[in-house]
Amino acid sequence: MGTHRTRTTLGLLLTVGLAFGTAACGAGDDETKEGGKVTLVINGLPPATEAATHQRFLDNVAEFERLNPDIDLDPREGKMDPQTFAAKLAGGQLEDVFYVYFTDPASLIAKRQVADISDHLADFPITSQVKPEVLRVFQDDRGGTYGLPYKNYSMGLLYNRELFTKAGLDPENPPRTWAEVREAAKKITALGDGHVGYGDYSKSNTGGWHFTTEIYSLGGEVAVNEGGTWKAAFNGPQGRQVLQQLKDMRWTDDSMGERQLLEWADLLQMMGSGKLGMYVATADNIPTIVNQYKGKYETYGLGPIPGGAGTLGGGEGYMFNAKASPAKIRAGLKWLTFWFTSAERFEAENKWAAENENPVGLPEPAIFTGAAAQLQETADAKYANVPQQNYAPFKAAMPGIPVKLEPPNAQQIYAVLDVAMQKVLTDRDANVDALLADAETQVNQILASVK
């Protein structure tokens, strides 16, 4: 979802240089300076207006260069921007290593716009401890690897532990099924005084985004590829269950409140006010609720997505310019495994985050397995400044819940599905079957352009 691309974490920096000359960002040759230095252009530098993270990035660049005197880094502001990517690519201005979202690699690999780094990974052992399902985002169907992950996220159930206690619910055991969500929402709403048991989105593409998460949780799909052709797949039992439950909670139970047509900031504000019981969210909503809406970390818990058959996820990582030379690929891998895809950096980064009053110990990212995962767990425990027990249900369930990515042309599809979400939440007489059928027709038209 687009709003999650505004998160304040540093994010994934994959820079790829496609220029042929040294005047551009250059990956087409072994661009060097005097003394045989490799110059590597990277992006992802936070803007100067974000003073602390901007300086932290530059400090890490300086430390890396001290440890690697044969590499000069040229950091640039900005991340993946689909609106300018094609122009930068065509003009030879794409960085050597560049930041991407998990929704980007498949298309970039298919179009051969990124370099295959597979032959170099054996020299960087940490890459063998990346979770296979996460690394797969950066691979082709033959197992070739074109980038590395930095952070990931998946959706769970964010809830107010204090309201759970007041309503006679167990804050250590959040709902695991949608039926349990419905019953818990009734009890929270019964507290009165404007309390809302459960909230959901239906505006500015956020409704379609949550619909996607919720149908995944029931084992359904939004779109499937059949023989090379993408088709809508939500007009069935799981899609019907998502909309019917929301309609029943809104109109039969009256547990979702009268205020509807909500978009991203609305549920965070409601949670911060202490009046909302639950909604579907990622862990990084919690610091935003605390910092912008006056919540407290100890108030909020995170449980697994109800249903547990799947959840929507995403993340950030880095890829390499298709024309990157072997020397630049090696330099880029040194940089990425120095900081971003590096278990050894958790200690230093957590210490810095804690000293700067940033949260340490939220349950994601979780990109490693084995000894690397243990290093992260140890570093998180050492510097944790948020209540770890509040996220224990989410962490315990994570390994058993498949994480699925967004469908192709996701934002266009979400806009269509917004309408179905709006109708069931604002019209007591909404026809779920008709809404799904109409959305299916529109989404198939959107998917017809996907190759």
Side-chain angles (χ1 to χ4, degrees):
M1 177 60 201
T3 52
H4 282 269
R5 297 187 176 189
T6 63
R7 36 180 90 190
T8 58
T9 52
L10 286 179
L12 310 173
L13 311 172
L14 295 174
T15 53
V16 174
L18 292 180
F20 291 93
T22 58
C25 290
D29 54 14
D30 280 333
E31 180 183 330
T32 61
K33 291 185 175 182
E34 291 183 11
K37 285 188 175 183
V38 175
T39 299
L40 191 75
V41 183
I42 59 176
N43 70 0
L45 174 66
T49 52
E50 298 176 14
T53 53
H54 179 89
Q55 188 58 50
R56 180 61 178 171
F57 193 103
L58 293 179
D59 289 346
N60 276 325
V61 166
E63 182 180 350
F64 175 83
E65 289 179 337
R66 285 195 299 272
L67 295 172
N68 297 274
D70 58 335
I71 301 172
D72 272 347
L73 297 181
D74 182 0
R76 308 286 176 85
E77 290 187 7
K79 298 181 179 180
M80 164 58 81
D81 183 353
Q83 304 302 315
T84 62
F85 181 85
K88 290 176 70 175
L89 180 69
Q93 297 299 311
L94 191 64
E95 298 86 358
D96 298 312
V97 178
F98 61 95
Y99 176 107
V100 295
Y101 302 100
F102 276 16
T103 49
D104 300 319
S107 175
L108 297 177
I109 292 169
K111 295 175 182 177
R112 299 183 179 181
Q113 294 174 330
V114 285
D116 187 337
I117 63 174
S118 306
D119 291 343
H120 303 275
L121 294 181
D123 295 329
F124 300 90
I126 187 63
T127 62
S128 68
Q129 295 188 62
V130 175
K131 289 181 177 179
E133 63 270 26
V134 178
L135 190 61
R136 199 169 298 126
V137 173
F138 297 89
Q139 293 178 325
D140 60 23
D141 55 7
R142 297 182 301 278
T145 302
Y146 296 79
L148 294 175
Y150 171 39
K151 292 189 176 182
N152 63 339
Y153 72 86
S154 60
M155 305 286 273
L157 184 71
L158 182 59
Y159 60 101
N160 184 313
R161 291 169 56 90
E162 295 176 358
L163 292 186
F164 264 53
T165 300
K166 290 179 181 179
L169 300 164
D170 184 357
E172 307 302 330
N173 292 289
R176 299 301 181 101
T177 68
W178 287 105
E180 291 176 357
V181 168
R182 185 174 179 181
E183 291 306 309
K186 290 179 186 178
K187 292 180 179 181
I188 293 168
T189 301
L191 293 172
D193 193 28
H195 286 97
V196 174
Y198 180 78
D200 218 331
Y201 292 128
S202 60
K203 187 179 178 184
S204 302
N205 298 4
T206 58
W209 173 49
H210 266 201
F211 177 93
T212 298
T213 302
E214 290 155 15
I215 197 172
Y216 284 175
S217 77
L218 298 170
E221 299 284 354
V222 169
V224 294
N225 190 321
E226 297 180 350
T229 300
W230 283 93
K231 294 182 179 179
F234 53 80
N235 186 9
Q238 293 96 342
R240 197 171 298 113
Q241 182 178 339
V242 170
L243 294 184
Q244 189 63 52
Q245 167 135 343
L246 290 172
K247 182 181 177 183
D248 291 344
M249 292 177 70
R250 170 68 179 93
W251 301 104
T252 303
D253 303 345
D254 193 24
S255 62
M256 296 187 66
E258 294 185 3
R259 181 188 172 202
Q260 294 300 326
L261 302 179
L262 305 178
E263 51 190 320
W264 191 73
D266 294 323
L267 290 180
L268 282 76
Q269 186 276 328
M270 291 171 65
M271 187 61 79
S273 74
K275 296 296 186 180
L276 177 62
M278 301 170 284
Y279 74 103
V280 170
T282 56
D284 69 350
N285 277 208
I286 298 172
T288 304
I289 294 168
V290 171
N291 294 328
Q292 295 188 24
Y293 301 106
K294 300 181 179 179
K296 297 179 180 179
Y297 281 107
E298 57 267 28
T299 300
Y300 309 111
L302 189 68
I305 191 74
T311 189
L312 178 63
E316 310 161 352
Y318 297 88
M319 301 187 84
F320 293 72
N321 190 303
K323 290 187 169 64
S325 67
K328 289 205 169 192
I329 291 174
R330 288 191 296 272
L333 284 168
K334 283 186 178 182
W335 166 239
L336 296 182
T337 57
F338 163 77
W339 186 7
F340 303 103
T341 308
S342 171
E344 288 78 10
R345 293 298 294 186
F346 282 121
E347 172 93 12
E349 295 309 308
N350 283 353
K351 182 176 185 293
W352 176 84
E355 290 173 348
N356 285 271
E357 299 183 346
N358 292 326
V360 176
L362 292 173
E364 289 177 323
I367 67 169
F368 290 114
T369 185
Q374 185 59 50
L375 275 176
Q376 177 179 3
E377 185 175 338
T378 300
D380 284 351
K382 181 175 181 179
Y383 291 101
N385 54 12
V386 295
Q388 301 295 283
Q389 69 277 10
N390 289 15
Y391 320 128
F394 179 84
K395 292 180 72 173
M398 278 172 59
I401 299 179
V403 177
K404 302 179 180 180
L405 299 181
E406 294 179 308
N409 289 352
Q411 296 304 315
Q412 296 177 57
I413 291 174
Y414 292 167
V416 171
L417 292 171
D418 265 3
V419 176
M421 296 286 277
Q422 289 169 10
K423 291 293 287 184
V424 298
L425 293 172
T426 61
D427 182 356
R428 182 186 298 271
D429 299 318
N431 185 318
V432 168
D433 289 336
L435 289 170
L436 288 171
D438 183 56
E440 180 182 39
T441 298
Q442 295 182 61
V443 169
N444 277 331
Q445 293 172 348
I446 292 169
L447 292 172
S449 64
V450 178
K451 303 300 182 184

mmCIF file of all heavy atoms in Angstrom, residues 192-215:
data_model
loop_
_atom_site.group_PDB
_atom_site.id
_atom_site.type_symbol
_atom_site.label_atom_id
_atom_site.label_comp_id
_atom_site.label_asym_id
_atom_site.label_seq_id
_atom_site.Cartn_x
_atom_site.Cartn_y
_atom_site.Cartn_z
ATOM 1 N N GLY A 192 -19.597 1.232 25.805
ATOM 2 C CA GLY A 192 -20.276 2.511 25.661
ATOM 3 C C GLY A 192 -19.310 3.676 25.561
ATOM 4 O O GLY A 192 -18.116 3.506 25.280
ATOM 5 N N ASP A 193 -19.818 4.865 25.750
ATOM 6 C CA ASP A 193 -19.006 6.082 25.762
ATOM 7 C C ASP A 193 -18.207 6.252 24.470
ATOM 8 O O ASP A 193 -17.067 6.706 24.475
ATOM 9 C CB ASP A 193 -18.064 6.076 26.960
ATOM 10 C CG ASP A 193 -17.410 7.435 27.215
ATOM 11 O OD1 ASP A 193 -18.034 8.460 26.856
ATOM 12 O OD2 ASP A 193 -16.283 7.468 27.730
ATOM 13 N N GLY A 194 -18.823 5.854 23.345
ATOM 14 C CA GLY A 194 -18.194 6.078 22.047
ATOM 15 C C GLY A 194 -17.152 5.062 21.641
ATOM 16 O O GLY A 194 -16.448 5.265 20.642
ATOM 17 N N HIS A 195 -17.029 3.971 22.373
ATOM 18 C CA HIS A 195 -16.050 2.951 22.000
ATOM 19 C C HIS A 195 -16.503 2.190 20.756
ATOM 20 O O HIS A 195 -17.680 1.867 20.589
ATOM 21 C CB HIS A 195 -15.827 1.969 23.158
ATOM 22 C CG HIS A 195 -15.021 2.551 24.276
ATOM 23 N ND1 HIS A 195 -15.593 3.100 25.408
ATOM 24 C CD2 HIS A 195 -13.676 2.696 24.427
ATOM 25 C CE1 HIS A 195 -14.643 3.549 26.207
ATOM 26 N NE2 HIS A 195 -13.474 3.315 25.645
ATOM 27 N N VAL A 196 -15.517 1.906 19.885
ATOM 28 C CA VAL A 196 -15.755 1.181 18.634
ATOM 29 C C VAL A 196 -14.953 -0.115 18.692
ATOM 30 O O VAL A 196 -13.738 -0.092 18.922
ATOM 31 C CB VAL A 196 -15.312 2.029 17.418
ATOM 32 C CG1 VAL A 196 -15.419 1.216 16.126
ATOM 33 C CG2 VAL A 196 -16.158 3.291 17.325
ATOM 34 N N GLY A 197 -15.623 -1.236 18.464
ATOM 35 C CA GLY A 197 -14.954 -2.518 18.619
ATOM 36 C C GLY A 197 -13.906 -2.804 17.565
ATOM 37 O O GLY A 197 -12.796 -3.264 17.873
ATOM 38 N N TYR A 198 -14.265 -2.531 16.310
ATOM 39 C CA TYR A 198 -13.374 -2.863 15.191
ATOM 40 C C TYR A 198 -13.499 -1.789 14.128
ATOM 41 O O TYR A 198 -14.602 -1.293 13.847
ATOM 42 C CB TYR A 198 -13.747 -4.229 14.613
ATOM 43 C CG TYR A 198 -12.878 -4.669 13.455
ATOM 44 C CD1 TYR A 198 -11.600 -5.174 13.680
ATOM 45 C CD2 TYR A 198 -13.311 -4.565 12.136
ATOM 46 C CE1 TYR A 198 -10.784 -5.586 12.632
ATOM 47 C CE2 TYR A 198 -12.507 -4.965 11.072
ATOM 48 C CZ TYR A 198 -11.250 -5.464 11.319
ATOM 49 O OH TYR A 198 -10.446 -5.853 10.286
ATOM 50 N N GLY A 199 -12.380 -1.430 13.522
ATOM 51 C CA GLY A 199 -12.394 -0.423 12.475
ATOM 52 C C GLY A 199 -11.818 -0.959 11.185
ATOM 53 O O GLY A 199 -10.961 -1.852 11.194
ATOM 54 N N ASP A 200 -12.291 -0.401 10.053
ATOM 55 C CA ASP A 200 -11.731 -0.799 8.763
ATOM 56 C C ASP A 200 -11.801 0.359 7.779
ATOM 57 O O ASP A 200 -12.552 1.322 7.959
ATOM 58 C CB ASP A 200 -12.473 -2.012 8.192
ATOM 59 C CG ASP A 200 -11.528 -2.971 7.486
ATOM 60 O OD1 ASP A 200 -10.493 -2.503 6.965
ATOM 61 O OD2 ASP A 200 -11.816 -4.175 7.448
ATOM 62 N N TYR A 201 -10.987 0.253 6.751
ATOM 63 C CA TYR A 201 -10.841 1.307 5.756
ATOM 64 C C TYR A 201 -11.797 1.113 4.577
ATOM 65 O O TYR A 201 -12.239 -0.009 4.296
ATOM 66 C CB TYR A 201 -9.415 1.309 5.210
ATOM 67 C CG TYR A 201 -8.346 1.713 6.191
ATOM 68 C CD1 TYR A 201 -7.221 0.912 6.388
ATOM 69 C CD2 TYR A 201 -8.440 2.901 6.899
ATOM 70 C CE1 TYR A 201 -6.213 1.290 7.268
ATOM 71 C CE2 TYR A 201 -7.437 3.279 7.786
ATOM 72 C CZ TYR A 201 -6.328 2.470 7.961
ATOM 73 O OH TYR A 201 -5.340 2.851 8.830
ATOM 74 N N SER A 202 -12.032 2.218 3.847
ATOM 75 C CA SER A 202 -12.834 2.112 2.624
ATOM 76 C C SER A 202 -12.616 3.278 1.668
ATOM 77 O O SER A 202 -13.406 3.496 0.763
ATOM 78 C CB SER A 202 -14.333 2.022 2.975
ATOM 79 O OG SER A 202 -14.761 3.177 3.692
ATOM 80 N N LYS A 203 -11.526 4.016 1.829
ATOM 81 C CA LYS A 203 -11.322 5.220 1.018
ATOM 82 C C LYS A 203 -9.855 5.352 0.624
ATOM 83 O O LYS A 203 -8.966 4.857 1.322
ATOM 84 C CB LYS A 203 -11.772 6.454 1.823
ATOM 85 C CG LYS A 203 -11.763 7.761 1.046
ATOM 86 C CD LYS A 203 -12.254 8.905 1.927
ATOM 87 C CE LYS A 203 -12.217 10.239 1.192
ATOM 88 N NZ LYS A 203 -12.615 11.366 2.077
ATOM 89 N N SER A 204 -9.612 6.012 -0.514
ATOM 90 C CA SER A 204 -8.260 6.328 -0.990
ATOM 91 C C SER A 204 -7.409 5.076 -1.170
ATOM 92 O O SER A 204 -6.220 5.053 -0.843
ATOM 93 C CB SER A 204 -7.564 7.319 -0.038
ATOM 94 O OG SER A 204 -8.313 8.510 0.081
ATOM 95 N N ASN A 205 -8.028 4.011 -1.671
ATOM 96 C CA ASN A 205 -7.376 2.725 -1.964
ATOM 97 C C ASN A 205 -7.069 1.900 -0.717
ATOM 98 O O ASN A 205 -6.645 0.754 -0.846
ATOM 99 C CB ASN A 205 -6.085 2.903 -2.773
ATOM 100 C CG ASN A 205 -6.315 3.534 -4.126
ATOM 101 O OD1 ASN A 205 -7.431 3.926 -4.462
ATOM 102 N ND2 ASN A 205 -5.276 3.632 -4.918
ATOM 103 N N THR A 206 -7.294 2.448 0.466
ATOM 104 C CA THR A 206 -7.003 1.680 1.676
ATOM 105 C C THR A 206 -8.025 0.575 1.908
ATOM 106 O O THR A 206 -7.709 -0.446 2.528
ATOM 107 C CB THR A 206 -6.962 2.596 2.912
ATOM 108 O OG1 THR A 206 -8.215 3.276 3.037
ATOM 109 C CG2 THR A 206 -5.838 3.611 2.798
ATOM 110 N N GLY A 207 -9.252 0.777 1.422
ATOM 111 C CA GLY A 207 -10.257 -0.270 1.571
ATOM 112 C C GLY A 207 -9.894 -1.511 0.773
ATOM 113 O O GLY A 207 -9.980 -2.644 1.272
ATOM 114 N N GLY A 208 -9.462 -1.310 -0.467
ATOM 115 C CA GLY A 208 -9.040 -2.442 -1.287
ATOM 116 C C GLY A 208 -7.799 -3.117 -0.737
ATOM 117 O O GLY A 208 -7.642 -4.347 -0.845
ATOM 118 N N TRP A 209 -6.942 -2.323 -0.140
ATOM 119 C CA TRP A 209 -5.723 -2.852 0.495
ATOM 120 C C TRP A 209 -6.084 -3.779 1.652
ATOM 121 O O TRP A 209 -5.562 -4.893 1.769
ATOM 122 C CB TRP A 209 -4.889 -1.657 0.960
ATOM 123 C CG TRP A 209 -3.690 -1.931 1.776
ATOM 124 C CD1 TRP A 209 -2.694 -2.827 1.527
ATOM 125 C CD2 TRP A 209 -3.346 -1.272 2.998
ATOM 126 N NE1 TRP A 209 -1.733 -2.760 2.517
ATOM 127 C CE2 TRP A 209 -2.122 -1.813 3.423
ATOM 128 C CE3 TRP A 209 -3.942 -0.264 3.750
ATOM 129 C CZ2 TRP A 209 -1.482 -1.387 4.583
ATOM 130 C CZ3 TRP A 209 -3.308 0.168 4.907
ATOM 131 C CH2 TRP A 209 -2.096 -0.393 5.313
ATOM 132 N N HIS A 210 -7.011 -3.340 2.510
ATOM 133 C CA HIS A 210 -7.436 -4.187 3.618
ATOM 134 C C HIS A 210 -8.265 -5.378 3.140
ATOM 135 O O HIS A 210 -8.163 -6.474 3.724
ATOM 136 C CB HIS A 210 -8.209 -3.359 4.648
ATOM 137 C CG HIS A 210 -7.335 -2.862 5.752
ATOM 138 N ND1 HIS A 210 -7.815 -2.475 6.978
ATOM 139 C CD2 HIS A 210 -5.987 -2.705 5.816
ATOM 140 C CE1 HIS A 210 -6.810 -2.098 7.755
ATOM 141 N NE2 HIS A 210 -5.694 -2.212 7.062
ATOM 142 N N PHE A 211 -9.096 -5.192 2.130
ATOM 143 C CA PHE A 211 -9.829 -6.330 1.571
ATOM 144 C C PHE A 211 -8.838 -7.412 1.142
ATOM 145 O O PHE A 211 -9.046 -8.609 1.385
ATOM 146 C CB PHE A 211 -10.674 -5.889 0.380
ATOM 147 C CG PHE A 211 -11.409 -7.014 -0.301
ATOM 148 C CD1 PHE A 211 -12.711 -7.337 0.049
ATOM 149 C CD2 PHE A 211 -10.795 -7.754 -1.300
ATOM 150 C CE1 PHE A 211 -13.388 -8.384 -0.569
ATOM 151 C CE2 PHE A 211 -11.460 -8.800 -1.942
ATOM 152 C CZ PHE A 211 -12.752 -9.122 -1.573
ATOM 153 N N THR A 212 -7.752 -7.007 0.497
ATOM 154 C CA THR A 212 -6.736 -7.955 0.046
ATOM 155 C C THR A 212 -6.136 -8.712 1.222
ATOM 156 O O THR A 212 -5.985 -9.940 1.196
ATOM 157 C CB THR A 212 -5.637 -7.212 -0.736
ATOM 158 O OG1 THR A 212 -6.218 -6.603 -1.892
ATOM 159 C CG2 THR A 212 -4.523 -8.158 -1.165
ATOM 160 N N THR A 213 -5.796 -8.001 2.283
ATOM 161 C CA THR A 213 -5.257 -8.651 3.477
ATOM 162 C C THR A 213 -6.248 -9.658 4.041
ATOM 163 O O THR A 213 -5.885 -10.790 4.404
ATOM 164 C CB THR A 213 -4.943 -7.601 4.553
ATOM 165 O OG1 THR A 213 -4.007 -6.652 4.033
ATOM 166 C CG2 THR A 213 -4.364 -8.242 5.801
ATOM 167 N N GLU A 214 -7.495 -9.255 4.116
ATOM 168 C CA GLU A 214 -8.504 -10.086 4.765
ATOM 169 C C GLU A 214 -8.858 -11.316 3.935
ATOM 170 O O GLU A 214 -9.088 -12.392 4.493
ATOM 171 C CB GLU A 214 -9.722 -9.213 5.077
ATOM 172 C CG GLU A 214 -9.406 -8.205 6.195
ATOM 173 C CD GLU A 214 -10.263 -6.956 6.192
ATOM 174 O OE1 GLU A 214 -11.315 -6.948 5.506
ATOM 175 O OE2 GLU A 214 -9.874 -5.974 6.861
ATOM 176 N N ILE A 215 -8.880 -11.192 2.607
ATOM 177 C CA ILE A 215 -9.146 -12.376 1.790
ATOM 178 C C ILE A 215 -7.946 -13.328 1.825
ATOM 179 O O ILE A 215 -8.104 -14.557 1.837
ATOM 180 C CB ILE A 215 -9.546 -11.995 0.349
ATOM 181 C CG1 ILE A 215 -10.212 -13.192 -0.340
ATOM 182 C CG2 ILE A 215 -8.355 -11.492 -0.461
ATOM 183 C CD1 ILE A 215 -10.823 -12.854 -1.694
#
